[in-house]
Amino acid sequence: MAFKTNFLLPLVLMFAVPLMVNAFVWNVGDAAGWSGQAQYDYHYWALGPAFLVGDDSLRFVYDRNTTNVLEVTSADYISCNATSPLAAYNTGNDTIPITKKGYQYFISGNSVDCNNGLKVDIWASNSSYVRFWRSGPAFGPDGYINVPDFD
């Protein structure tokens, strides 16, 4: 008994396509951008998105004359230590791919801005469940979960 390929292709596409069309570029700080003048809670911002390893990127938009973006260790994130970053970005419009599962830490190299809150830590997943979930109707176009209004 032969298995018909005309049955298999639609089945494969039904499950594979939602897993392939879910990459996002997250604008860190949304409209506020990456700025020490923004009075923005970057930690709170990072709690909203479901970041995915290998699919998503972080976009930092800022004035390169006043700050930059440094990827650092957890300890350097806590202390705002900019002396030995894992990576440094300074174009004013940097898109950084999320390449590892778990936490990644970013700070401003401007110590005053960093100590005033210009830093963000994100947690990224590599979960196939999250990939599938993100492709569904519960996930809004801005990358956040659509929570129904219960009024």
Side-chain angles (χ1 to χ4, degrees):
M1 179 170 165
F3 191 73
K4 296 200 179 263
T5 57
N6 60 347
F7 171 76
L8 182 61
L9 182 60
L11 186 63
V12 168
L13 289 176
M14 181 175 75
F15 288 104
V17 170
L19 299 178
M20 298 183 317
V21 292
N22 55 9
F24 287 97
V25 176
W26 301 98
N27 289 314
V28 176
D30 294 327
W34 183 249
S35 171
Q37 304 303 311
Q39 301 300 311
Y40 193 83
D41 188 341
Y42 294 95
H43 176 74
Y44 182 75
W45 171 85
L47 297 175
F51 300 107
L52 285 172
V53 176
D55 286 352
D56 294 352
S57 298
L58 300 173
R59 182 172 174 239
F60 292 85
V61 178
Y62 55 93
D63 179 357
R64 68 186 194 138
N65 295 314
T66 60
T67 193
N68 61 1
V69 179
L70 304 177
E71 183 175 359
V72 296
T73 64
S74 173
D76 288 345
Y77 173 82
I78 292 167
S79 65
C80 285
N81 180 1
T83 59
S84 55
L86 303 173
Y89 306 91
N90 59 11
T91 69
N93 189 351
D94 302 307
T95 301
I96 304 167
I98 298 172
T99 58
K100 59 186 173 188
K101 182 179 176 183
Y103 282 97
Q104 284 182 267
Y105 304 92
F106 300 91
I107 65 171
S108 167
N110 178 323
S111 62
V112 172
D113 286 345
C114 183
N115 284 307
N116 286 330
L118 190 54
K119 58 184 183 176
V120 66
D121 61 320
I122 62 120
W123 185 85
S125 169
N126 201 17
S127 165
S128 58
Y129 172 76
V130 172
R131 289 178 202 287
F132 182 77
W133 168 76
R134 271 194 12 179
S135 67
F139 206 72
D142 59 357
Y144 292 94
I145 302 168
N146 284 333
V147 178
D149 188 6
F150 293 109
D151 287 343

